[in-house]
Amino acid sequence: MTKTLLTVLMMSAPLLAQAADNQKPLIIAAYGDSTTAGVISSGGRNVITKNNEINYLHQLLKKTYGDDIEVKNHGVPGAQAAELVITQDNKSHLDWAERMRQSSASIILLNYGINDARIYFYKDKKAHQESPQEYRRIMTALVKGAKASNKLVILQEPNPVCGRAERWNIWPYVYQLNEVAKEQNVPIVRQFSVIKENRDWQKEMSPDCIHPSEELYKQKAQRTFDVLSASFDKVLKRNS
């Protein structure tokens, strides 16, 4: 090795190390309702558990791809998809498009459907009414808005609900969500039907029969991780 080449390598090494140290983490932003936030029913009241899907997902990602991945939980209990694009007075606004432009996230997770069905069932006049067809229109707008800012998108089916909540009839929303995934060519995490394949799936739910148990959150996280890694493995390996 020549003296000149050795000198160049010695000078370059600190710069390369500094570039690695300054590499920003890959950010995944999860938007959804209370099942994204991590609510469980415990002792007759709802609480947010740390043992939720998004935290479990973060652990799986770090184990496989390293520490330079951050998962931000934007789940809001009671939220429906319309709240990202419709104001309280039912007027369209640009909040979602602007949020995507300003977001540092590379990957967007979207998990809505339970409250959309519930609010439509009860015809709550204070909220935007989302029929399954309107839900499809809004979810399409969310996907397109994220794509416009060069985000990768993964849709997540809502988990099934049981007991009295079954009256809300979530299945038509699940169907429409899968149609959005096909039309927009984005991956979707199958949760609804997969969970119901277990004959005793209700036992894996919280006592309110709406929110998963911590164990079911863990199972949901594994399915989301599987779709993430299968769809965007190269992107996730960027920092590993």
Side-chain angles (χ1 to χ4, degrees), residues 78-83 90 112-136 138 165-174 176:
Q80 59 173 349
E83 294 175 22
N90 285 344
Y112 293 94
I114 294 176
N115 293 305
D116 311 74
R118 175 182 62 82
I119 290 170
Y120 187 69
F121 175 81
Y122 286 113
K123 297 296 186 291
D124 185 349
K125 295 181 180 179
K126 295 180 181 180
H128 184 75
Q129 295 296 306
E130 290 182 46
S131 65
Q133 292 72 27
E134 174 67 356
Y135 169 79
R136 177 175 177 172
I138 291 171
E166 285 188 278
R167 299 177 300 164
W168 304 345
N169 195 15
I170 293 174
W171 166 245
Y173 294 82
V174 175
Q176 294 296 346

